[in-house]
Amino acid sequence: VVDPDVSGLAVNINLHETMIITGFRRAAGLTAVLIFIIVIAQLRSLGDAVLALVPTGLGWLWMLGVMAVIGLDFNVANIVALPLVIGIGTAFGVHLMHRYQESARAHGGVARLDDLVRSTGGAVVLSALTTIASFAALMLSDYGGMVTFGLAMVLGISACLLASIIVLPALLALLRRAA
């Protein structure tokens, strides 16, 4: 409990930190809703949009889980990772679902997993690895906030990538939408 008469820089810093973290959590939620609407419009299918976003949702949860296990908490420097991972991670599933739709049209409604994994999957992996390398470079900083931001981004993007290239094709196969 804080004395209501206390004042000073520490109180202001604490208040601003709380406001920043709350704001970015709200931004992450709003980001997710807006991206969902955009992906539905782009893919022209609610079901395909949900499938495209499954890797992002899983990746985000995996990132939060790993952060909890290693004791990495959000702070004013790394909280930016929440909406960024959603935005960056979404591209992976969307690219794969675009390729799924193209392959399904060409093959009687059932896409070829080879089309997704080898062609588009390779491009998604390369794109993700260059982004991961860029954020990993931040981990070499002397500033602790930058290190934790880089680590959160590496964890989040890596998790979204793994979910995109492993879970999404497996899910499409289980749903008999790809073979």
Side-chain angles (χ1 to χ4, degrees), residues 86-136:
I86 294 171
I88 293 169
T90 295
F92 309 151
V94 168
H95 290 311
L96 288 169
M97 286 307 294
H98 270 291
R99 184 67 171 121
Y100 155 79
Q101 288 178 336
E102 182 181 291
S103 181
R105 279 192 300 273
H107 299 100
V110 178
R112 293 193 177 159
L113 284 174
D114 192 55
D115 290 344
L116 272 73
V117 177
R118 285 191 181 209
S119 63
T120 305
V124 165
V125 168
L126 179 61
S127 174
L129 290 178
T130 59
T131 305
I132 289 166
S134 298
F135 283 110

